[in-house]
Each structure stands twice: as structure tokens, then as C-alpha cells.
Amino acid sequence: MPLSIRTPRWRKFTHGRGLSTIAIFVASLLLPRVSATHACAQDPPNVLLILADDLGYGDLSCYNDQSKVSTPHIDRLAREGMRFLDAHSPATVCTPTRYGLMTGQMPFRVKNGGTVFTGVGGPSLIAKDRLTLPKMLKKHGYATACVGKWHIGLTFFDHEGNPVQGNGVESIQKVDFARRFEGGPVDQGFDSFFGTACCPTTDWLYAFLEDDRVPTPPTKRIDKSSLPKHPYANDCREGLIAPNFDLEEVDLEFLRRSQRFLENHVRETPERPFFLFHSMQAVHLPSFPAKSFQGKSMAGPHGDFLVQMDTIVGELMTTLQRLGVDRDTLVLFTSDNGPEVTSVVHMRADHDHDGARPWRGMKRDQWEGGHRVPFIARWINQIPANTQSSQLLSLTDVMATMAGILQEDLPSDAAEDSFNMWPALRDANYPPIRPFLITQAFGGVKTLAIRRGPWKYIDHIASGGNRYDSNPSLQRFALPEFAPEAPSQLYNLQQDPGETKNLFLEEIEIANELKQLLDRTKESGRSR
């Protein structure tokens, strides 16, 4: 069966020392453009993309047999599809990762590509003329909807029509909510949007957005004295809240809106494929599970939040089945980065649950725990069931993968860091597709890493995110420096998956090769 990307002959040499960095890089650019020879004989699939927030590799029982929280619905999704073991978010925090997911481009390549927006922060990281995943799908007749957390930047306006600059309560108070905001999902290829500007229960503006408006604006400051009191409840900033915004019901409202979209679509335009991006609040702190889930996990409020997240995924799967479109729908489930520090520290101590297991690091860190994430794909009768893949994958690859399925020729100025993983979805043993993978930590372009085969080169010292030396809650997790005088880090993940032994000084030739390859891809503006 023909496939749109074939493994070039040079691939088998890329783990050694004999091939020059330039040759590797040039070869990667000579990979076929995403196009042609679509391997699926049936109509284009519906697509349901579910993005969890701050969900760690070890938070799911299908990835962690020592998890103290059972996730039966996501486990079932994995049994019915393919589970990726080496999937990565492009960044270790939310805004940059979401940019990479929607555009197929590494966020460090654009201005402010390491930014994490709060409140009414913006403008959008996505340029107006950039091809996005929903724009591409609309070209193929898809109905597109975004539900949940956006967090890629918006532009709100004051009463004089000037863009509101900055974050915090003062900026929100300047906004004229009678005006449309710009740069949101409906300006980036989605037909409709219901959700929030940034982190739903964290970031200053506690109000629902619909399409390009705020139908019910915030009217008063949030009363934090009425919120739950526990270690996972302290990330709620004292912002402005709308009268219809219940912090414990946010994810359930997102579920209702996604179900409504699916029901309306199947009833009104069943002949069209749909793309639904369901972007969850869970399990980003604060952990405010709905009352119906409180006490369900026996692992505290954050465990209850995990149970709620899993149940919502199950409800979405049930909705697809009830509407008769489950076999026609490609379901992708993943997370935007690793687990939050507070979650890891307290869940380890209080419930012997490790959301980062088995990796070193957590959210913001360049070590694996910061960006190695769950990734599950199900398309009944197209993706082999109950399989797992060791294919190296980035969330930026979703765009080129959909282009491969749709036989779309991606232009050279789009999805520059996206590789077509459709062959790997069809065959769990397909040869490696990516020649290398780049990730960025909390410092953006200043904290990059590159992975090629088992070798991981980190172009900086320390974590690139959290301060393990000065944060008392993290000091106990700090590891002794194996090569304290080394200017960068080099690990062999096959031999040392815990990233405990920095081999930079021992394998200086490999380190230099990877450093040069990283510099080349930075200069060229692309890795595909």
C-alpha cells in the first residue's frame, strides 16, 4: 500500500558518528512534502482532538501501572487504538505548545514564542496569513469547532477602540466587552468557539467567550474565601468573574458544548466531516472537580480531578457512538506538557502517585517529565487496535499527519516542523519517520533541546524551567551533577532514561554534532 512518506536510506546511519551534521540536516529537508498517496480508501475522517492540560505521562493507568488513580475510559481508548510511548509536546508550558499544535511550527520561531499569556493578554502568536490546522481542514469541507481553553493570545479593545495591553485586573477593567476581540479561534479557521481566553480557573478573566465576543462579561472580583481549601487550590488569581462562571463546573460546561456541537452537526450536516478541538481545563491547577466527582478517587482533590477528566473523555466517546459516527472518527488524545510542580510534589507525598513517572522533571523542565506526554490515536478499522508505538512524535506532527490523510500538499511556508505520522498510525512497527525532534523549555529559544535516536542534547545547564536549588519543595528531587563543569547536557535515553548521567564531556563529538544540527534548524527556520 503506497504511503506519503518513506524512510530514506540514510536514516539508519543517523545514530552514529560517521555522517556529517550538514548531511543529516539536508537529508531531513529532502523528505517528501506531505502529499499524495493517501493510504485510506474511505472518506476523510471526522476528527476529535482532545487536549488535556498539565496531564503527566504517569497520570494515566494505561501508561503507569503504579498509578493511584484509575482512568478506565482513556485506558479503553488506548485498547481500541494505538498508544505512543515517545510522544512530546513542543514546549513545556501551555501557550507555546498550543501554537505548535495549531500551526505545525515550533513556537520559538515566532516573536514571543515562549510567552504564557494571562488575563486578556495578547496579541495572538498566530500570524493572520499563517495556515493553521483548522484552516487546512476547512479547505477540505470540514465543519470546525473549538471548545475550551484557547490560550494562544487575543486582542481586546478599550472604549476608544485601542488594543488593551498587559495582564491583570487593571487591563480587564479597560476592556469594552461590547466590542469583538481579535485573533481568536474564529479568526484562525474555526467556524465556532466556546471557551476561555487563558487558563479557565487561574488567569484573571473568569468568563466564557463565544465566537468573538464575551456574552456575559465579568462584573466583580472573585471571592477566594468561598473556594475550596487544599494544597491544589492555590493557583486561582484574584481576578474578575462573570455571574454565570462556576469554577467547579467549567469542564462539564465544555463537555455539554462539545456534545451540543456533535449532535447539531450530525443532525444538520451529516454529509460533512467535522473537526472538534476539545481543549480541557483538567488537570491544570487549581484542582476544582465538580461536586459529583469530589471524593471519587480516594486520592484527594487532584485525584478526583483526574477521575473527572477521564469520565469526560468517556462521555465524548459515548456521544460519538450514540450518534453513529464513532467508526468514522479519528480520535486523538494528548496533553500540552508534563504535570505541574504542586501536583507532583503533593501527589507523591500524600498519595504515592507520580504523574511524571518514570521520567525526571515536570512542567517547565527540559527533562523528559516536562514534555513527554501521553498520545493515543483511535480510528476504528484504520488504526490497529491495542497497539503501541515507539515512534518519535511531536504534537506539531498532527497538522502534517492530517495533510497526509487528506492528500494535501502543504506549502513550504507552513507546518515547518510537522511530519506525517499517518504511516506510523497504520503500522506500529513502521521505521522511524522523524530524523530528529526539538523541544523548548520555559525559557523559549534560550532553552532548547534536540533529540536524535537515543541521544538527547540540552543546549543549556539545569532544568531550563524550575529552580531545584532554591525551591524548598523541589530540593529533595534534585540530582547530583554528574558533570558540573559541562556547559550543556547530553544523555543517552536508551541507557539512561532517567537522565542521571550527563555525557557531554565523554561524548563531545556527538554533543557537537547535535549542537550543530540544532543551530542549522534554527537558522533555516524549519526541520521538515
Side-chain angles (χ1 to χ4, degrees):
M1 183 175 293
L3 297 169
S4 55
I5 284 186
R6 299 185 186 277
T7 303
R9 292 181 179 179
W10 54 264
R11 179 90 62 201
K12 61 185 178 181
F13 298 114
T14 61
H15 297 171
R17 305 184 187 185
L19 188 62
S20 73
T21 300
I22 295 176
I24 294 169
F25 181 71
V26 171
S28 74
L29 299 186
L30 292 177
L31 281 169
R33 284 194 301 165
V34 178
S35 68
T37 60
H38 168 37
C40 178
Q42 67 181 60
D43 293 333
N46 304 311
V47 182
L48 171 56
L49 172 57
I50 305 173
L51 184 66
D53 200 328
D54 291 1
L55 179 74
Y57 193 96
D59 277 325
L60 302 179
S61 45
C62 59
Y63 277 88
N64 179 7
D65 60 4
Q66 297 181 28
S67 171
K68 296 303 185 289
V69 181
S70 178
T71 52
H73 300 288
I74 298 173
D75 294 356
R76 178 183 175 183
L77 187 67
R79 290 194 303 271
E80 294 175 346
M82 183 178 292
R83 182 169 57 99
F84 282 77
L85 306 180
D86 206 355
H88 300 260
S89 57
T92 63
V93 285
C94 39
T95 295
T97 283
R98 291 159 194 272
Y99 175 86
L101 178 62
M102 287 293 104
T103 66
Q105 182 187 43
M106 283 298 297
F108 75 82
R109 300 193 190 281
V110 300
K111 183 180 179 181
N112 299 322
T115 299
V116 176
F117 292 116
T118 64
V120 292
S124 174
L125 293 184
I126 306 176
K128 291 183 179 180
D129 59 351
R130 172 156 287 275
L131 181 65
T132 63
L133 176 62
K135 285 180 182 178
M136 181 186 75
L137 294 176
K138 281 189 73 171
K139 288 169 52 181
H140 290 266
Y142 278 73
T144 57
C146 176
V147 174
K149 171 181 172 179
W150 177 239
H151 211 183
I152 312 178
L154 302 169
T155 299
F156 288 85
F157 298 91
D158 62 20
H159 291 274
E160 284 71 45
N162 300 312
V164 175
Q165 306 291 335
N167 304 300
V169 172
E170 296 77 14
S171 295
I172 296 173
Q173 291 171 332
K174 297 177 183 177
V175 173
D176 179 3
F177 287 105
R179 298 176 182 268
R180 79 181 296 269
F181 55 81
E182 294 183 355
V186 296
D187 293 329
Q188 306 296 350
F190 287 103
D191 298 322
S192 63
F193 169 57
F194 179 89
T196 59
C198 298
C199 302
T201 59
T202 304
D203 289 333
W204 304 113
L205 176 62
Y206 302 104
F208 290 120
L209 284 57
E210 192 155 4
D211 294 335
D212 55 5
R213 306 278 176 169
V214 183
T216 306
T219 56
K220 62 180 181 179
R221 282 191 182 252
I222 193 169
D223 179 12
K224 295 187 69 173
S225 67
S226 64
L227 299 177
K229 304 292 190 297
H230 52 70
Y232 313 92
N234 301 320
D235 278 42
C236 185
R237 297 184 174 103
E238 195 173 347
L240 299 180
I241 189 168
N244 67 338
F245 198 89
D246 186 337
L247 275 71
E248 293 183 340
E249 290 285 322
V250 168
D251 259 328
L252 296 185
E253 182 62 24
F254 291 164
L255 170 63
R256 288 188 284 267
R257 293 292 180 139
S258 282
Q259 289 175 317
R260 183 184 304 177
F261 166 79
L262 293 170
E263 291 163 351
N264 290 343
H265 178 85
V266 171
R267 181 177 63 252
E268 297 171 5
T269 55
E271 71 283 356
R272 295 181 64 191
F274 65 77
F275 169 48
L276 172 58
F277 177 35
H278 184 90
S279 180
M280 307 178 86
Q281 149 72 4
V283 288
H284 192 291
L285 298 182
S287 297
F288 290 158
K291 289 181 173 57
S292 57
F293 290 94
Q294 293 171 13
K296 293 291 186 181
S297 70
M298 303 302 292
H302 194 68
D304 297 342
F305 212 20
L306 286 163
V307 169
Q308 176 179 300
M309 176 213 64
D310 179 68
T311 302
I312 288 172
V313 172
E315 287 295 317
L316 289 170
M317 298 306 102
T318 298
T319 302
L320 293 178
Q321 186 175 23
R322 172 170 56 84
L323 296 173
V325 294
D326 56 326
R327 292 181 174 275
D328 305 321
T329 302
L330 169 62
V331 179
L332 302 174
F333 175 87
T334 188
S335 175
D336 63 348
N337 46 249
E340 179 59 272
V341 171
T342 302
S343 306
V344 174
V345 169
H346 285 282
M347 289 295 282
R348 283 175 177 174
D350 300 340
H351 303 287
D352 195 27
H353 172 89
D354 187 356
R357 185 180 184 270
W359 312 113
R360 181 186 184 185
M362 52 199 83
K363 180 180 178 178
R364 300 179 190 85
D365 294 341
Q366 188 60 269
W367 299 313
E368 292 293 285
H371 52 81
R372 192 178 292 218
V373 293
F375 190 95
I376 299 170
R378 187 194 76 174
W379 184 4
I380 298 173
N381 293 331
Q382 294 293 328
I383 296 174
N386 202 25
T387 54
Q388 65 182 33
S389 172
S390 297
Q391 190 80 223
L392 186 63
L393 177 147
S394 170
L395 300 194
T396 60
D397 296 334
V398 171
M399 188 165 174
T401 300
M402 285 308 306
I405 291 174
L406 298 171
Q407 305 180 67
E408 167 80 9
D409 277 323
L410 283 173
S412 61
D413 61 348
E416 293 92 336
D417 299 294
S418 189
F419 287 79
N420 178 11
M421 292 292 157
W422 177 234
L425 288 169
R426 297 280 291 184
D427 179 1
N429 298 312
Y430 196 82
I433 292 173
R434 274 188 159 272
F436 57 87
L437 173 113
I438 302 171
T439 52
Q440 68 181 67
F442 193 52
V445 70
K446 298 178 181 178
T447 51
L448 298 180
I450 187 167
R451 165 88 178 278
R452 190 183 73 197
W455 292 103
K456 176 180 177 181
Y457 170 78
I458 299 177
D459 197 27
H460 55 82
I461 60 172
S463 74
N466 298 301
R467 294 295 300 272
Y468 285 74
D469 54 347
S470 59
N471 186 333
S473 66
L474 291 177
Q475 286 174 351
R476 76 188 93 162
F477 304 121
L479 298 180
E481 290 291 344
F482 183 81
E485 67 279 20
S488 302
Q489 301 170 68
L490 180 71
Y491 299 102
N492 186 319
L493 295 182
Q494 184 174 337
Q495 299 173 359
D496 179 26
E499 294 171 285
T500 63
K501 188 175 182 180
N502 182 1
L503 300 176
F504 179 89
L505 298 177
E506 296 182 18
E507 299 285 358
I508 191 69
E509 185 179 344
I510 294 177
N512 287 339
E513 275 191 14
L514 292 175
K515 166 66 172 172
Q516 292 173 30
L517 182 56
L518 177 60
D519 289 344
R520 292 277 180 182
T521 186
K522 286 167 62 178
E523 293 168 6
S524 72
R526 63 190 309 109
S527 56
R528 179 174 61 84

